[in-house]
Amino acid sequence: SALTALAAAWTDLAEPALASRLFGAAHGLRKRKKLALAAHEVLATENACTRLRMVLGDAQFGHEFAIGEAMTTQEVAAYARRATQTSVG
């Protein structure tokens, strides 16, 4: 999904908290809509989340992921929009 791709991009840009929330948000939306992660995204998502856990630690990653997972569709859209407007540096 586009949201998963955005989360992966933020992982690569060294924004672990933002990326963790976006992965959580993508997971929450898929769960509520009863959708599965696309087969080609499974390994990449697992690898990115493993890297994020290593950087943030399990507790912080879990916290950020849970915040994203609990977001409504409208909150996810607003958060993703803000994320794309954030500059790195």
Side-chain angles (χ1 to χ4, degrees), residues 6 39 46:
L6 182 60
E46 289 174 356

Side-chain angles (χ1 to χ4, degrees), residues 1 7 9 14-15 21 24 26-27 42 48 50 53 55-57 60 71 76 86:
S1 73
E15 292 289 341
R21 278 193 195 195
H27 176 76
V42 172
T50 297
R53 275 190 184 89
V55 171
L56 292 173
Q60 186 66 32
M71 289 180 183
V76 170
T86 301

Side-chain angles (χ1 to χ4, degrees), residues 30-52:
R30 283 191 309 273
K31 188 174 170 182
R32 287 190 293 280
K33 296 179 184 293
K34 297 179 174 48
L35 300 172
L37 189 62
H40 68 278
E41 293 179 307
V42 172
L43 184 58
T45 298
E46 289 174 356
N47 288 340
C49 287
T50 297
R51 289 191 344 247
L52 292 168

Side-chain angles (χ1 to χ4, degrees), residues 53-75:
R53 275 190 184 89
M54 289 172 55
V55 171
L56 292 173
D58 287 334
Q60 186 66 32
F61 172 81
H63 175 75
E64 298 296 342
F65 190 93
I67 289 171
E69 187 177 28
M71 289 180 183
T72 66
T73 302
Q74 292 79 14
E75 289 170 332

